[in-house]
Amino acid sequence: MSPDQTLGLAQRHRTLRWMGVPLFWLGVLGILTALYARFAAEGAWGGVMLYVAATGLSLGTFGLHNDTALAMLLRAPSLPAGPAKAELDAELRADRLAVNALSPSPKASYAATALAFALHAAAAWKLMGAL
């Protein structure tokens, strides 16, 4: 893989990690709504648990994309000055051993993102049926 490809993929994962934040808050809102449906509309606990799983996987989405981006940036032969380099330098200052131990896992990060979206869709479907 060329250095430009590595940097491009790292930037893609740096961008995609931010999908985890709105998914997380959507999950928190879903948990609260599912709890309301459980107690006020006599819904099932299954909807609550689906939203708990979707919320947790949303955090995993952020983490997997973030770790993949850092691992790719670390393995890039030369990193131009900019926000990516500043972020990598800050992470290395915070915990050099942990950052050096990261390995890029783009397939896992894409799979976790797709699964998080699927869990959110399933949980929303179940919640709409309960309300």
Side-chain angles (χ1 to χ4, degrees), residues 17 19 24 46 51-52 55 67 78 81 84-85 88 104 127:
R17 68 181 168 185
M19 285 193 318
F24 169 77
Y51 266 115
V52 168
T55 304
D67 291 353
S78 63
K85 182 165 178 46
L88 180 63
L127 182 60

Side-chain angles (χ1 to χ4, degrees), residues 16-131:
L16 288 175
R17 68 181 168 185
W18 294 109
M19 285 193 318
V21 175
L23 285 175
F24 169 77
W25 287 110
L26 182 64
V28 169
L29 182 62
I31 289 171
L32 295 174
T33 308
L35 283 170
Y36 169 78
R38 167 65 183 108
F39 293 113
E42 298 192 21
W45 280 108
V48 176
M49 295 315 295
L50 273 173
Y51 266 115
V52 168
T55 304
L57 198 54
S58 298
L59 287 174
T61 293
F62 182 91
L64 278 167
H65 282 293
N66 187 59
D67 291 353
T68 298
L70 286 174
M72 287 180 165
L73 289 173
L74 189 64
R75 284 157 180 74
S78 63
L79 199 55
K85 182 165 178 46
E87 180 181 351
L88 180 63
D89 291 342
E91 291 287 342
L92 286 170
R93 278 191 304 277
D95 193 352
R96 180 171 291 279
L97 290 176
V99 174
N100 284 326
L102 293 174
S103 61
S105 45
K107 289 180 184 175
S109 58
Y110 292 136
T113 304
L115 188 56
F117 274 108
L119 278 174
H120 275 284
W125 183 266
K126 186 155 183 83
L127 182 60
M128 292 304 122
L131 293 177

